[in-house]
């Protein structure tokens, strides 16, 4: 099949087959992430050069076990491969088989072969197979499937150049024609195929397999075609599950002997340590303890490793602000750049090292195969709280961002467990909270405090995550009794072999996650910083002047000298109080005063509903607008903030604790609400989510402030 433009290669494989590692090895940095049309499932694609100089596009499809989809991700693959008119329909397929478990992966290989598309079968992890003494006779596989096959190792780079040569030859081929071992259609499947052919104009573009699978999954078919198929199925007494079992067993019966003959274990190879390690890491007592220690080390690393790059970034933005101030004339435009744009962006960019370290360590745990063990280990606990073992994937992913975490709940087939997972996932502290936590923990715990080898701030950081986890589990338990469902809960998960991390995968994953964070957060912060700069710099006629006069009177009352920094900061604070931002904050103050917050914090709470991390950018913008041109760290500016009515610091232990707990529980992310609505197809669930988290946030902040003030 030929198409205009660059050729499209579909990269297909079971989960944990080594598919994404090959994708990264081929595309490197030339890859992008988007969404499939009309859905929120991630689409990863990239380009690479062939030996003949041509460029091809390769699409890394979600992992799938067979042509019978259960999750949204799997449906995307079947939808694409079942419809030659789909915009992502490939010109050829590269199918990845794990060399350590060939038979399990071979079912999908036989189904893909019947699409009649150019197909290349690639056996991954050849180095691990060699270590285990496994030898695959490629020639016998090629003879059975009637298509080219080869083995590779992305870890060692074995045969990667040969793979590109094979792909170059593959895309020049047309349809392979009918496979001699094709599955024999049943009578009802044949009737469905004939019915679709009668209704569809392009008869030749569909293979028999594609037509047959419309009998149990209607996909892109039009209304007329669906009505015809429903009628045929009703008349024939069609049983979808029976049909799937029939085809699966028929294929296994025919290829099992071939696979066994082609896969030989020539020696015992090196001893495997996976079982031995699992006896420890998956132990019912030691396993959770090890997991807790691992998480503790992750949070300690965030603090220990990020200090130097954070200082460098901070100094860079301070230098940029000074440079702009020295080059441009004083005026509103210069103030906009230095006090709005640069201050706002600097207030969030400084936390990129911590976020990158978090993603880096989590990616390593995923690469070595540990995270799958965590899913398995906590399945029983999740069941107790009304969740599924797969819910742990969403909860752990929530440590990065609630949006993809909520989307990952699609893999949970049970409605009740999926809804509970969606509702409680935002309680897990995401990376957007890291900047807020980092700023506020300094007011609660001194950086010099240590507990043995551990920094107490790191322990406090982990404590905030634990509070979110406990809140999520408690909320799940409540929803378990509220929501009703008779569906059975089932967990099916593959535990991959432990292996060394492939560093290219780790770094590409970190790059992708951090880039997304910077771009998405940067857009919001840039707009909010400009708006905030205007709101704090201007006000109704005469309002700022009157407040400045009040500041002069208070400065005299407190005995501040004419040129003191205390007087300058007080006047700047009172002037801001008369601005548009001050008026908005003042209107909120009665509601938030019991929590220990002033009107400036109220502004930050309001703007951070766009995204949690905007809190820090807002503080950077607010506190950079003052009578002094000194460039100080945002934490120092907040620490120096004095309540003009009491003359005491605004950010006390009680206030900081109150704010920390508020941000642990509050759903201050409009994007999370939007994705919850999209996944549940109703505004009822995001409204309930926002309300119950908001009540938890307000009450916990109120109690903390009243107890410690």
């Amino acid at each position: 099949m030929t198409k205009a433009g660059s050729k499209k290669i579909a990269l297909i494989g079971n989960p944990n087959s080594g598919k994404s590692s090959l994708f990264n090895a081929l595309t490197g940095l030339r890859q992008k992430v988007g969404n499939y049309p009309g859905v929120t499932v991630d689409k990863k694609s990239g380009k690479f050069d062939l030996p003949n100089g041509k460029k091809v596009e390769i699409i890394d499809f979600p992992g799938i076990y067979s042509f019978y989809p259960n999750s949204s991700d799997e449906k995307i693959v079947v939808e694409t491969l079942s419809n030659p008119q789909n915009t992502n329909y490939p010109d050829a397929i590269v199918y990845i088989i794990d060399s350590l478990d060939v038979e399990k992966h071979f079912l999908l290989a036989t189904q893909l072969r019947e699409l009649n598309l150019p197909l290349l079968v690639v056996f991954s992890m050849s180095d691990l197979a060699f270590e285990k003494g496994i030898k695959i006779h490629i020639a016998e596989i090629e003879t059975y499937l009637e298509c080219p096959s080869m083995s590779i190792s992305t870890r060692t780079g074995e045969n990667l150049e040969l793979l590109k040569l094979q792909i170059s030859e593959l895309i020049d081929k047309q349809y392979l024609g009918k496979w001699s071992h094709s599955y024999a259609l049943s009578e009802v499947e044949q009737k469905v195929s004939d019915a679709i052919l009668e209704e569809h104009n392009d008869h030749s573009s569909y293979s028999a397999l594609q037509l047959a699978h419309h009998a149990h999954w209607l996909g892109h078919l039009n209304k007329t075609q669906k009505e015809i198929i429903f009628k045929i199925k009703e008349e024939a007494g069609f049983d979808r599950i029976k049909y799937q079992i029939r085809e699966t067993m028929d294929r296994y019966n025919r290829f099992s002997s071939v696979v066994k003959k082609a896969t030989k274990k020539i020696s015992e190879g090196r001893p495997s340590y996976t079982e031995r390690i699992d006896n420890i890491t998956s132990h019912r007592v030691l396993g959770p303890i090890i997991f807790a220690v691992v998480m503790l080390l992750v949070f300690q690393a965030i603090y220990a490793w990020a200090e130097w790059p954070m200082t460098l970034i901070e100094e860079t933005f301070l230098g940029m602000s000074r440079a702009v101030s020295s080059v441009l004339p004083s005026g509103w435009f210069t103030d906009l750049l230095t006090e709005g744009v640069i201050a706002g962006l600097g207030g969030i960019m400084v936390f990129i090292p911590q976020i990158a370290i978090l993603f880096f360590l989590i990616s390593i745990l995923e690469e070595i195969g540990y995270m799958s063990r965590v899913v398995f280990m906590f399945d029983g606990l999740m069941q107790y709280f009304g969740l599924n073992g797969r819910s742990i994937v969403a909860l752990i992913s929530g440590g990065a961002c609630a949006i993809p975490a909520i989307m990952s709940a699609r893999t949970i087939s049970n409605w009740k467990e999926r809804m509970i997972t969606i509702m409680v996932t935002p309680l897990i502290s995401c990376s957007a909270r890291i900047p807020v936590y980092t700023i506020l923990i300094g007011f609660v715990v001194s950086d010099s405090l240590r507990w043995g080898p551990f920094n107490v701030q790191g322990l406090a950081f982990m404590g905030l995550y634990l509070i979110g986890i406990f809140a999520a589990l408690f909320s799940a338990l409540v929803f378990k009794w509220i929501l009703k469902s008779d569906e059975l809960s089932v967990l099916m998960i593959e535990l991959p072999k432990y292996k060394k991390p492939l560093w290219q995968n780790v770094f590409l994953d970190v790059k992708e996650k951090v880039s997304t964070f910077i771009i998405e957060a940067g857009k919001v912060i840039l707009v909010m910083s400009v708006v905030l700069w205007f709101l704090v710099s201007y006000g109704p006629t005469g309002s700022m002047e009157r407040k400045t006069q009040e500041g002069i009177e208070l400065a005299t009352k407190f005995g501040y000298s004419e040129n003191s920094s205390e007087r300058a900061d007080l006047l700047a604070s009172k002037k801001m109080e008369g601005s548009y931002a001050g008026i908005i904050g003042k209107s909120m103050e009665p509601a938030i005063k019991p929590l220990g917050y002033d009107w400036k914090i109220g502004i930050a709470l309001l703007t951070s509903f766009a995204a949690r991390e905007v809190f820090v950018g807002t503080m950077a913008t607010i506190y950079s607008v003052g009578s002094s041109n000194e460039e100080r760290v945002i934490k120092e500016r907040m620490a120096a903030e004095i309540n003009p009515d009491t003359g005491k610091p605004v950010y006390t232990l009680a206030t900081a604790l109150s704010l920390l707990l508020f941000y642990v529980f509050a759903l201050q992310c409009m994007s999370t609400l939007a994705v919850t609505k999209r996944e549940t197809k109703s505004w009822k669930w995001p409204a309930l989510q926002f309300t119950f988290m908001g009540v938890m946030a307000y009450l916990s902040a109120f109690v903390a402030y009243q107890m410690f003030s």
Side-chain angles (χ1 to χ4, degrees):
M1 184 177 184
T2 58
K3 296 180 182 179
S6 61
K7 299 288 186 178
K8 289 183 179 179
I9 306 295
L11 192 58
I12 309 292
N14 289 189
N16 298 315
S17 62
K19 175 174 58 67
S20 295
S21 295
L22 177 58
F23 175 76
N24 290 336
L26 290 173
T27 61
L29 297 176
R30 293 178 293 177
Q31 56 181 254
K32 59 182 180 180
V33 179
N35 293 116
Y36 290 95
V39 295
T40 53
V41 177
D42 279 348
K43 172 189 174 183
K44 293 185 70 174
S45 62
K47 294 187 177 182
F48 66 96
D49 299 320
L50 295 175
N52 59 13
K54 294 183 179 179
K55 288 185 181 295
V56 293
E57 179 184 5
I58 188 165
I59 302 175
D60 182 14
F61 281 91
I64 185 172
Y65 290 104
S66 74
F67 249 59
Y68 304 112
N70 292 310
S71 66
S72 300
D73 287 7
E74 292 176 336
K75 287 178 181 178
I76 284 294
V77 183
V78 177
E79 162 70 15
T80 302
L81 298 181
S82 297
N83 180 14
Q85 277 68 50
N86 191 291
T87 55
N88 292 301
Y89 194 74
D91 297 282
I93 296 174
V94 174
Y95 179 62
I96 311 300
I97 294 180
D98 183 354
S99 297
L100 302 176
D101 199 356
V102 176
E103 186 172 14
K104 186 187 71 176
H105 295 247
F106 216 74
L107 171 64
L108 183 56
T110 61
Q111 292 176 326
L112 293 175
R113 178 61 186 84
E114 292 185 33
L115 296 179
N116 298 329
L117 280 169
L119 174 68
L120 173 63
V121 175
V122 176
F123 293 89
S124 64
M125 307 182 200
S126 61
D127 57 325
L128 297 180
F130 176 78
E131 291 177 5
K132 284 183 166 291
I134 297 175
K135 180 175 177 59
I136 299 174
H137 297 280
I138 300 295
E140 295 189 23
I141 300 294
E142 289 184 326
T143 300
Y144 181 76
L145 290 177
E146 300 171 14
C147 71
S149 303
M150 63 177 297
S151 64
I152 65 163
S153 171
T154 53
R155 193 175 307 280
T156 64
E158 176 191 350
N159 287 340
L160 286 183
E161 291 304 317
L162 178 60
L163 173 65
K164 294 180 182 180
L165 183 62
Q166 288 273 37
I167 292 176
S168 181
E169 296 176 359
L170 191 70
I171 61 176
D172 292 331
K173 295 180 180 179
Q174 301 298 313
Y175 285 102
L176 296 179
K178 185 175 175 60
W179 184 36
S180 59
H181 301 285
S182 292
Y183 168 74
L185 299 182
S186 65
E187 183 179 348
V188 64
E189 293 162 5
Q190 190 62 57
K191 286 183 179 180
V192 169
S193 299
D194 294 340
I196 296 176
L197 287 175
E198 290 178 6
E199 292 294 325
H200 207 285
N201 295 326
D202 186 10
H203 298 183
S204 62
S205 63
Y206 285 96
S207 70
L209 178 72
Q210 291 168 328
L211 294 171
H213 277 74
H214 291 312
H216 78 94
W217 188 74
L218 306 183
H220 64 278
L221 299 182
N222 60 42
K223 183 179 179 181
T224 303
Q225 292 170 335
K226 290 179 181 179
E227 290 176 351
I228 293 172
I229 291 176
F230 274 127
K231 185 176 181 181
I232 294 173
K233 291 166 67 174
E234 186 177 311
E235 292 175 351
F238 180 79
D239 187 329
R240 179 172 62 90
I241 301 299
K242 182 179 178 180
Y243 158 60
Q244 294 180 8
I245 294 174
R246 175 184 182 271
E247 178 186 352
T248 301
M249 295 307 298
D250 179 79
R251 291 183 185 277
Y252 267 99
N253 289 337
R254 285 184 289 121
F255 71 64
S256 288
S257 59
V258 176
V259 172
K260 289 179 181 178
K261 184 179 179 182
T263 307
K264 300 291 184 181
K265 192 162 187 177
I266 57 178
S267 70
E268 290 303 316
R270 299 178 185 176
S272 171
Y273 294 101
T274 294
E275 292 81 7
R276 299 180 189 177
I277 296 174
D278 275 340
N279 288 337
I280 300 174
T281 58
S282 300
H283 190 273
R284 59 184 303 174
V285 177
L286 293 177
I289 295 175
I290 292 172
F291 176 70
V293 171
V294 169
M295 291 297 101
L296 175 61
L297 294 176
V298 167
F299 295 124
Q300 285 293 313
I302 290 174
Y303 269 88
W305 298 351
E307 183 177 356
W308 179 81
M310 289 177 69
T311 301
L312 180 62
I313 293 173
E314 189 176 76
E315 292 176 351
T316 300
F317 274 90
L318 293 179
M320 289 171 56
S321 184
R322 293 192 187 100
V324 170
S325 297
S326 64
V327 172
L328 297 179
S330 59
W332 70 267
F333 183 70
T334 301
D335 291 342
L336 169 63
L337 291 179
T338 58
E339 300 172 353
V341 177
I342 296 177
L345 288 177
I348 186 66
M349 293 294 286
V350 71
F351 298 102
I352 293 300
Q354 290 184 321
I355 294 168
I357 290 169
L358 173 64
F359 287 135
F360 173 73
L361 296 175
I362 295 298
S363 295
I364 290 177
L365 295 176
E366 291 176 346
E367 270 286 301
I368 65 177
Y370 178 68
M371 292 309 256
S372 296
R373 271 71 186 178
V374 174
V375 173
F376 168 76
M377 183 169 51
F378 286 99
D379 178 48
L381 179 63
M382 294 295 102
Q383 294 286 340
Y384 176 80
F385 288 98
L387 300 168
N388 183 276
R390 293 186 181 275
S391 300
I392 198 71
V393 176
L395 297 180
I396 292 174
S397 300
C401 180
I403 295 171
I406 288 173
M407 291 164 55
S408 71
R410 297 181 193 137
T411 59
I412 303 172
S413 57
N414 183 287
W415 173 83
K416 178 178 178 179
E417 293 171 344
R418 188 171 75 89
M419 292 304 302
I420 295 176
T421 303
I422 290 173
M423 295 301 289
V424 305
T425 293
L427 284 167
I428 303 298
S429 292
C430 65
S431 59
R433 289 178 169 108
I434 291 179
V436 183
Y437 290 171
T438 304
I439 285 288
L440 296 174
I441 282 177
F443 294 102
V444 178
V445 181
S446 172
D447 183 48
S448 61
L449 288 179
R450 304 191 69 82
W451 184 63
F454 301 111
N455 184 304
V456 177
Q457 285 193 345
L459 295 175
F461 196 87
M462 182 177 181
L464 294 172
Y465 271 76
L466 289 176
I467 290 172
I469 292 170
F470 291 140
L473 294 178
F474 173 77
S475 300
L477 193 60
V478 174
F479 279 114
K480 176 184 177 180
W481 297 110
I482 294 176
L483 301 180
K484 304 298 180 183
S485 174
D486 296 327
E487 294 182 69
L488 295 176
S489 175
V490 179
L491 172 69
M492 294 181 64
I493 187 170
E494 178 184 0
L495 298 181
K497 301 290 189 298
Y498 281 111
K499 59 182 184 294
K500 296 178 182 178
L502 193 60
W503 295 110
Q504 183 184 29
N505 288 356
V506 173
F507 288 119
L508 285 174
D509 186 54
V510 173
K511 170 190 171 293
E512 175 190 327
K513 297 287 185 9
V514 173
S515 297
T516 301
F517 180 87
I518 293 173
I519 294 171
E520 295 303 318
K523 290 188 295 185
V524 175
I525 292 167
L526 182 60
V527 173
M528 295 304 300
S529 295
V530 172
V531 172
L532 281 168
W533 170 83
F534 173 80
L535 292 177
V536 299
S537 300
Y538 299 94
T541 304
S543 175
M544 299 178 78
E545 289 76 9
R546 287 193 298 272
K547 287 296 179 181
T548 301
Q549 184 59 40
E550 290 181 15
I552 294 173
E553 294 173 1
L554 279 174
T556 303
K557 176 182 176 181
F558 291 142
Y560 296 152
S561 61
E562 186 71 26
N563 298 319
S564 67
S565 59
E566 291 86 357
R567 177 187 175 90
D569 289 337
L570 175 59
L571 294 182
S573 176
K574 296 301 291 184
K575 183 178 180 181
M576 193 189 306
E577 190 175 340
S579 67
Y580 292 116
I583 293 172
I584 295 173
K586 280 290 184 180
S587 67
M588 296 174 58
E589 203 167 38
I592 61 177
K593 193 170 184 179
L595 309 183
Y597 309 158
D598 64 2
W599 57 271
K600 294 181 183 178
I601 297 176
I603 297 171
L605 292 179
L606 184 64
T607 58
S608 62
F609 276 106
R612 298 175 184 95
E613 61 270 28
V614 175
F615 174 88
V616 178
T618 300
M619 287 300 183
T621 302
I622 289 176
Y623 290 120
S624 66
V625 180
S627 59
S628 172
N629 288 325
E630 293 181 29
E631 300 288 355
R632 289 180 283 179
V633 181
I634 181 64
K635 187 186 297 186
E636 295 175 349
R637 295 300 305 267
M638 292 170 67
E641 181 69 5
I642 300 297
N643 187 318
D645 297 324
T646 64
K648 297 180 179 179
V650 170
Y651 294 92
T652 61
L653 170 64
T655 304
L657 278 175
S658 175
L659 267 173
L660 281 171
L661 289 175
F662 187 91
Y663 273 94
V664 166
F665 297 124
L667 204 170
Q668 291 188 270
C669 180
M670 292 188 295
S671 299
T672 299
L673 291 172
V675 78
T676 298
K677 189 268 178 183
R678 187 165 51 188
E679 294 296 310
T680 60
K681 305 295 190 295
S682 170
W683 277 112
K684 176 181 72 174
W685 298 106
L688 176 61
Q689 192 179 51
F690 177 83
T691 301
F692 94 83
M693 290 181 65
V695 171
M696 289 175 66
Y698 191 94
L699 291 179
S700 61
F702 175 81
V703 171
Y705 181 73
Q706 297 302 323
M707 285 182 63
F708 291 92
S709 61

